[in-house]
Amino acid sequence: MSESKYPNSYTLAYLSGEEQIPVPKRRRKWNNYIEIKGARENNLKSIDVRFPLNVMTVVTGVSGSGKSSLVSEVLYQAVKRHCENLKDGTVQATSVGGDLNLIKLVEFVDQNPIGKSSRSNPVTYIKAYDEIRKLFADQPLAKQFHFSPAYFSFNVEGGRCEECKGDGFIRVEMQFMADVVLECDSCHGKRFRQDILDVEYRGKSISDVLDMTVEEAVEFFSQGKGSQEKKIAEKLRPLQETGLGYIKLGQSSSALSGGESQRVKLAYHLGEEKAQPTLFIFDEPTTGLHFHDIKTLLKAFDALIERGHTIVIIEHNLDVIKCADHVIDLGPESGDEGGRIVCAGTPEQIADCKESYTGQWLRKMGKTAR
Ligand SMILES: Nc1ncnc2c1ncn2[C@@H]1O[C@H](COP(=O)(O)OP(=O)(O)OP(=O)(O)O)[C@@H](O)[C@H]1O
Ligand SMILES: [Mg+2]
Ligand SMILES: [Zn+2]
């Protein structure tokens, strides 16, 4: 593609086949599993199914075949009840057992925003901001004026600009029209009082840091000498791992797309130090994602599995399905004509199954290891 007018276009690279999501060389083996027997929610026909642990399982099937019924209503609810030790309420299944005890937490990772407040942002969400505030409070000027870490927060009174309450902008409600957003007159969008902005770490104010991209900040802080700086860089790195290196530290959560919000949530889990074995559930995580983002998402899944977690995904995307260790194909059709397991196994085994629509597509598109 050397003659392309758009040498940096990921879309072109994928369309031309130059960049691809490869079929994994091997499928992970598994021994442990959660076993559901007699699942009957909605259209499910009293099915028995195993969800293997510490691998990636993809649940497939036509729309209305029963994927959400099985994964969101039965699996998620049952594991949640187990983890939270809830005694009341039941799920529509005869039994849920197997190695359930090996799972300590369950997370349903959706594309909903990560915080409602305009002041919540990716860096506060992954808890990296606490360390940044501490670092600023440790600078000589801050010590001289007794600015504690809280002074470098835009969530509480103290150091933030009170005119805009740390937003940096003022929202003006207009009758019959969309709100108008104006830069704050008092702080000029810098979100803090001037004496707080005067505190600098290696020539950067807290506002300058919030204006850095994740990429720039990782670079900047990893050049620092102390362990505190290293810690900040470490905390930010998961955002890079989930492909969010381009977002600004101070970017409001409400300005993130659904896919970005979902990856911030993933980054939070990737950054957890002593994470308990967790079951992560996703319902169509690739909705709205570009090929390149899908590749990054798959890498993040791998990283979670390496940390001992389990992934269950509902997905139509063949590039994700072909990367699964285990596929559970529901159907064969929708509604009452669905709700059964058509086939379960590796993508290669699904492709060998004549009755499976998913298998037919995997074969047709050459999406298997053979
Ligand atoms: N609350 C409900 N009450 C009764 N029937 C329901 C309910 N929710 C879903 N169904 C029915 O159960 C069947 C399976 O639905 P389900 O949502 O599990 O499908 P799905 O495979 O997740 O589909 P999609 O890919 O469209 O999300 C469908 O026929 C649906 O109409
Ligand atoms: Mg569904
Ligand atoms: Zn202001």
Side-chain angles (χ1 to χ4, degrees), residues 42-43 62-69 284 316 335:
N42 297 331
N43 68 337
V62 295
S63 178
S65 57
K67 302 180 296 295
S68 296
S69 304
E284 307 228 20
H316 290 113

Side-chain angles (χ1 to χ4, degrees), residues 2-269:
S2 51
E3 284 160 43
S4 167
K5 271 179 9 196
Y6 309 102
N8 295 322
S9 163
Y10 283 127
T11 306
L12 281 186
Y14 277 99
L15 291 180
S16 67
E18 190 174 293
E19 189 159 357
Q20 285 180 347
I21 296 175
V23 178
K25 294 211 171 54
R26 56 177 197 92
R27 309 290 174 189
R28 291 183 186 86
K29 300 267 178 285
W30 48 276
N31 299 312
N32 301 317
Y33 51 83
I34 293 170
E35 180 157 54
I36 298 174
K37 289 195 163 161
R40 292 178 301 274
E41 182 72 39
N42 297 331
N43 68 337
L44 300 178
K45 303 289 188 300
S46 188
I47 57 175
D48 299 346
V49 54
R50 287 178 178 182
F51 288 92
L53 302 187
N54 203 211
V55 301
M56 172 169 135
T57 296
V58 179
V59 178
T60 58
V62 295
S63 178
S65 57
K67 302 180 296 295
S68 296
S69 304
L70 177 63
V71 176
S72 317
E73 313 284 325
V74 181
L75 176 70
Y76 174 63
Q77 294 301 336
V79 177
K80 188 172 147 78
R81 281 169 39 75
H82 158 77
C83 293
E84 293 174 10
N85 226 336
L86 304 175
K87 295 279 177 278
D88 47 342
T90 50
V91 295
Q92 291 293 322
T94 311
S95 71
V96 180
D99 303 296
L100 200 51
N101 284 323
L102 296 178
I103 293 290
K104 302 294 175 207
L105 284 172
V106 58
E107 294 281 348
F108 202 110
V109 189
D110 55 30
Q111 295 196 343
N112 294 338
I114 53 174
K116 291 187 188 75
S117 152
S118 56
R119 287 179 292 272
S120 88
N121 64 44
V123 184
T124 51
Y125 190 85
I126 64 162
K127 308 266 186 269
Y129 198 57
D130 297 347
E131 306 295 332
I132 296 175
R133 287 190 290 142
K134 274 189 223 153
L135 182 68
F136 273 89
D138 272 349
Q139 301 312 306
L141 195 63
K143 282 191 170 157
Q144 190 184 329
F145 290 107
H146 304 289
F147 294 151
S148 67
Y151 278 75
F152 297 90
S153 162
F154 31 72
N155 282 316
V156 293
E157 280 182 46
R160 73 177 181 190
C161 168
E162 276 311 311
E163 188 70 32
C164 61
K165 304 255 182 294
D167 277 333
F169 57 84
I170 309 270
R171 192 178 288 279
V172 185
E173 282 178 36
M174 303 288 280
Q175 227 174 346
F176 314 120
M177 282 200 286
D179 294 356
V180 172
V181 174
L182 299 172
E183 189 182 273
C184 172
D185 268 346
S186 183
C187 65
H188 303 288
K190 300 235 182 255
R191 310 173 72 172
F192 290 91
R193 278 178 5 204
Q194 189 54 47
D195 53 348
I196 297 297
L197 294 170
D198 288 341
V199 178
E200 291 188 346
Y201 164 75
R202 283 172 51 218
K204 302 283 179 197
S205 71
I206 186 75
S207 172
D208 295 334
V209 168
L210 288 168
D211 215 32
M212 290 179 184
T213 64
V214 169
E215 205 98 35
E216 288 164 354
V218 168
E219 171 91 23
F220 177 70
F221 287 111
S222 53
Q223 286 163 358
K225 290 195 177 60
S227 58
Q228 229 174 339
E229 291 93 316
K230 298 268 185 296
K231 201 164 167 191
I232 295 170
E234 278 318 300
K235 288 240 167 190
L236 291 172
R237 223 179 287 278
L239 287 172
Q240 240 179 341
E241 281 184 73
T242 52
L244 295 172
Y246 60 88
I247 57 173
K248 288 193 172 184
L249 299 201
Q251 185 164 340
S252 163
S253 299
S254 54
L256 295 175
S257 75
E260 285 171 341
S261 302
Q262 190 171 44
R263 283 183 284 150
V264 172
K265 293 175 196 175
L266 267 180
Y268 168 77
H269 291 290

